[in-house]
Amino acid sequence: MGRMMMWRKIGKYVAMARQAVRNRLAYPREILGRVMFLALILFVYDRLWTKVLGERGDFAGFGHAQLIWYLLITEAATFSFPRLQDRVSTDVKTGDIAYRLNRPASYLGQLLAEYLGETLAGAAAISVPGAGLAFLLAGRPPDLSLVHLAPALAALGLGTLVSFGLTASLALTAFWVEDNAPFFWIYSKINFVLGGLFLPVEVYPGFLRTLAEILPFRLIFSAPARLAVRFDPVLLIRTLIAQAVWAAYLLALAWLIYGKGVRKLNVNGG
Amino acid sequence: MAPAITAVGLCKTFQVPVKEPGLHGSIKAVFRPSRRAVDAVRDLSFTVARGEIVACIGPNGAGKSTTIKMLTGILFPTAGEAVVLGLVPWRDRARLNRRIATVFGQRSQLWYHLPPADTFELLGRIYEIPGPECRARVRLLVEEFGLGEVWRTPVRKLSLGQRMRCEVAAAFLHRPEVVFLDEPTIGLDVVAKAAIREMIRRLNREEGVTVFLTSHDPTDIEELCRRVLVINHGRLVLDDSVAGMRRDYLETKILRLLLDRPVDPPAMPGVTVLKRKGPGLKLAVDTTKASIDGVLRAILAMGSVVDVTVTDPPLETIIAAIYQSKGLGAGEGGDGPDDDVEEDR
Amino acid sequence: MSTAVRRLRFIAGYFKLNLAMAMAYRGSFLAQVFFMAANDALLLFFWWVLFRRFPAVAGWSFRDMVVLYAASATAFGLGAAFCSNFLGLSRLVSEGQLDYFLAAPQDPFLHVLVARGWFAGWGDIAFGVGAFLLAGDGSPWRLIVFPAVVLCGAAVLVSFGFIYGSLSFFWGRSEALSGMAFESLLIFSLWPGEIFPAALRLLFFTLIPAGLVSHLPVRLLARFDWPLFLALLAAAAGAVCLARFVFRAGLRRYESGNLVAMRD
């Protein structure tokens, strides 16, 4: 009987994820717009790296093709992650968050299911044309093979969990701060720099590199992308461990914040 | 004196894009959309004399806003002519705009986050009124219309009624000779509506401004205007004095009552039962033959009244009645009346 | 009062009101300015990392990049702070919001141009001016050239914002395309022209005039040249005239009412 209940619950979340996928794909024009923007960015960076690196040059061991494919993956990831903050803010404001689902696992589980669904949908929609573009511009990166692809995807999956943990924790501050948009602005800028949007963090100079390696931001898309374009088994293991640890920590953090927030809501009224 | 507004045979046909169904239709719609002609205004002719207050009423989609847009030069007509203050609106728009004003009930020209005073100052510069003259004019308007307390409060903190009063005052800042008001009392409570009407009346009396207003509210017409134009489906259905219209169509009031028990109302002259459901009653009262007071007394004698509402019949009913009286078939005219009227003749 | 004075009073009127808004919402204003300036500064981060490894990119140094960013940001900031309608013209058109401007007794093009300001534009100006002063060699001549070329850049940017936005007059579903065109103009104005093939560089002086917005200004700041400057000035003036022409042509279509299903 217990196992039936569990499967049914999982089934519920799968259904939510599937709905999220449908939502994401409902606006083909939006996806087209993003693909065009991605094409523009890839093109510009392609021109840059061609000029700077020439035929065979490299930037701290990363060649032209690798840098372009790196950029594709990080940009695709950035486009794919949905905005949790709007959804959570509304839920907090209307009080739905406490009354509709009164167990943390349920609400966070629902959020996670939707997050994963939307990310998957967005990623799938944008990676196919994006990969085509990257291939046209830069050819295949030297390290890309099916053997390497699987672990890279695993890293991307864990990276998504890290992203969820961070984003959800930030979004749940809506319990205390009505307009938490500035937090997200800061978060996106941090991701831009310390998250390694345009360059793998290992090419950063000195203290910045150290800082970036301590913090979890690079684990979201930078580290997986790096592994995908330039595979390294030792780095893979270290990355996966770091991601697992941070994901667990951040999910627990989100859970804690949610609990505190709901209690506050119940004490103060809706 | 030459009339303020003259319209002769005004027509406006819109070419509305139509999307054909299916994927092929979607693709076609992007590159060469097919279009459907929509006649918004058909052969409209009327004159408005200087200093008149004229109402233009009609249901949604009748063509009122389109007419105003043509008379103010924002749209040009498909056919026909119009002359406002001796100028052709769509050709001499810049010159005309200095002498007219338009107020849209649903769109504000006041800056939302600032006090009306600031917008007034901006308007003075837009209409190129010299500083001292503008300031004097603003003082006058604020005093005349009791805007003292609201004038320096940010618009977002004002009630809809206060906002509309400032909106109307702003329109008169540059002493326009003709003012077009598109639904000026929409969404306002009874007190606010009365205030706006009083403002318009005074400015018309004291400055001789010609007023052309559109409305959904028959009371606007009764209180403000001497003349009314009824438009439906783009055509002019009635051009009459308000007195005439009142005599013919506006004396009926709808009385809705909720009693404490089902009641069978007595037959009274001028009273028609429109609906009866349990303790609820809906009556049409012809106020030339019966008084609301009298009807209520009769009902009260039979039971206690829990709730009562007195309203005008919906505009559509009035228009339908106009159509009926003019012998125009239902197919030609507006939406049919939304109540079945059982006539006791 | 002559026409010119009256017109200036009219423009000043909008400036006063935008200023009043900033004063009324000081916190929001300062926050937007700060965030925008910080945003722009962060964009330079990539170049900082790159230039630590490579001494020059297509003949450009890090300092040159900073000047490029300064010019581009200041041009955009000036446009956004004073004429922000150039950013949302498509929407104004498709939502029928031009009625108000048509009903007013001022030239609609000028009116739409000056009617709105965006707080965040001041952030771009703050960043741009700051970056320029930091990267500069302090020569007083550059302090005169910078505002001059940046104003030309702003004129081109605003004009092309209007031109792209005016597509909505003629083609209903063009909002995405106009957005894309403008986005690429902004992006190309932040990249040195030399990394692109020659054919594309032609584009930068015609359909997507990033060259006029920032590349040429940077060139003039490095090595001033009167004929080139006058050419930029002429191009900027030409852009404004073109924008006015296209906008007015679009207005005639707007006045036919056939753009949107304009019902009662």
Side-chain angles (χ1 to χ4, degrees), chain B residues 245-310:
Chain B
M245 188 171 164
R246 178 181 291 137
R247 181 182 60 239
D248 298 335
Y249 308 108
L250 282 182
E251 332 74 25
T252 311
K253 294 278 179 191
I254 307 284
L255 193 61
R256 277 185 182 80
L257 294 155
L258 186 65
L259 303 159
D260 63 344
R261 69 188 98 112
V263 143
D264 199 357
M268 288 176 273
V271 176
T272 316
V273 177
L274 296 174
K275 241 184 221 168
R276 195 164 69 207
K277 193 172 176 183
L281 264 184
K282 189 168 171 185
L283 306 171
V285 178
D286 182 345
T287 51
T288 58
K289 295 195 193 124
S291 73
I292 302 284
D293 181 56
V295 174
L296 278 173
R297 279 181 207 272
I299 304 284
L300 279 166
M302 308 178 65
S304 303
V305 171
V306 173
D307 193 15
V308 62
T309 326
V310 183

Side-chain angles (χ1 to χ4, degrees), chain A:
Chain A
M1 196 41 102
R3 199 176 288 182
M4 269 292 280
M5 287 282 287
M6 194 182 79
W7 279 122
R8 212 177 296 152
K9 255 208 205 110
I10 293 181
K12 179 171 76 166
Y13 291 126
V14 169
M16 285 178 203
R18 223 188 278 147
Q19 180 60 33
V21 171
R22 267 195 290 267
N23 282 345
R24 211 49 188 330
L25 299 178
Y27 295 96
R29 211 183 285 169
E30 190 194 332
I31 296 176
L32 184 66
R34 291 179 153 182
V35 170
M36 284 171 70
F37 183 72
L38 181 65
L40 185 62
I41 297 223
L42 286 178
F43 171 71
V44 173
Y45 275 88
D46 173 63
R47 292 290 92 212
L48 173 73
W49 294 128
T50 308
K51 198 78 180 195
V52 171
L53 301 177
E55 278 298 310
R56 269 167 232 268
D58 68 278
F59 187 169
F62 291 93
H64 174 217
Q66 289 166 311
L67 288 167
I68 293 296
W69 280 89
Y70 176 87
L71 186 61
L72 167 70
I73 297 172
T74 62
E75 287 285 347
T78 314
F79 290 158
S80 306
F81 294 141
R83 288 171 60 93
L84 265 184
Q85 56 268 40
D86 304 326
R87 159 70 192 272
V88 173
S89 281
T90 321
D91 286 346
V92 169
K93 258 185 223 152
T94 61
D96 277 353
I97 198 170
Y99 303 112
R100 192 163 28 117
L101 309 147
N102 48 24
R103 274 170 298 155
S106 295
Y107 183 69
L108 288 177
Q110 183 185 46
L111 275 186
L112 180 59
E114 289 172 5
Y115 195 82
L116 290 174
E118 285 210 45
T119 305
L120 204 61
I126 204 156
S127 356
V128 174
L133 284 163
F135 184 76
L136 269 171
L137 288 168
R140 219 167 53 99
D143 264 1
L144 192 67
S145 69
L146 275 140
V147 174
H148 295 159
L149 199 59
L153 285 173
L156 275 169
L158 278 174
T160 308
L161 279 178
V162 174
S163 173
F164 174 77
L166 269 168
T167 315
S169 302
L170 263 178
L172 288 167
T173 58
F175 278 117
W176 294 274
V177 181
E178 184 159 340
D179 180 22
N180 54 11
F183 293 172
F184 281 92
W185 184 89
I186 294 172
Y187 173 62
S188 76
K189 296 310 150 196
I190 291 181
N191 250 342
F192 179 85
V193 174
L194 296 173
L197 185 59
F198 294 108
L199 292 168
V201 300
E202 60 198 79
V203 313
Y204 288 179
F207 79 98
L208 213 58
R209 175 181 177 169
T210 321
L211 186 64
E213 295 195 336
I214 298 176
L215 294 169
F217 303 102
R218 68 176 180 95
L219 295 171
I220 298 175
F221 43 69
S222 174
R226 194 274 191 209
L227 286 166
V229 302
R230 191 172 156 196
F231 191 78
D232 181 326
V234 172
L235 190 60
L236 171 72
I237 304 294
R238 286 167 58 186
T239 302
L240 290 175
I241 294 176
Q243 286 177 319
V245 169
W246 273 105
Y249 169 67
L250 289 165
L251 286 169
L253 183 66
W255 184 308
L256 245 166
I257 297 180
Y258 175 79
K260 273 212 156 81
V262 170
R263 245 173 289 142
K264 170 185 179 282
L265 210 62
N266 285 333
V267 166
N268 295 347

Side-chain angles (χ1 to χ4, degrees), chain B residues 171-193:
Chain B
F172 286 95
L173 187 70
H174 58 289
R175 292 181 198 277
E177 297 166 60
V178 179
V179 171
F180 294 90
L181 298 158
D182 196 1
E183 309 270 3
T185 62
I186 199 167
L188 296 178
D189 63 73
V190 175
V191 174
K193 282 193 202 220

Side-chain angles (χ1 to χ4, degrees), chain B residues 12 14-15 30 35 59 61-66 69 74-76 93 97-98 107 109 111 113-114 118 121-122 125-129 156, chain C residues 6 9-10 12-14 16-18 20-21 25 96 99-100 102-106 108 111 115 171 252 254-258 261-262 264:
Chain B
K12 184 63 188 169
F14 291 116
Q15 302 290 335
V30 173
R35 290 173 183 270
K64 308 190 295 284
S65 289
T66 310
K69 286 186 185 172
I74 295 176
L75 285 182
F76 55 74
R93 191 177 57 219
N97 281 342
R98 286 175 205 286
R107 258 190 261 171
Q109 72 169 337
W111 283 48
H113 296 280
L114 294 173
D118 289 352
E121 206 211 312
L122 175 67
R125 288 160 184 258
I126 292 178
Y127 285 93
E128 298 180 359
I129 310 171
R156 64 188 162 86
Chain C
R6 275 185 267 135
R9 280 195 78 228
F10 156 66
Y14 271 104
K16 274 186 86 173
L17 240 62
N18 281 310
M21 284 280 281
Y25 289 91
D99 288 356
Y100 174 75
L102 288 175
Q106 295 283 346
H111 203 164
W171 186 29
R252 280 193 287 279
Y254 184 91
E255 290 161 17
S256 73
N258 291 327
M262 281 188 180
D264 188 40

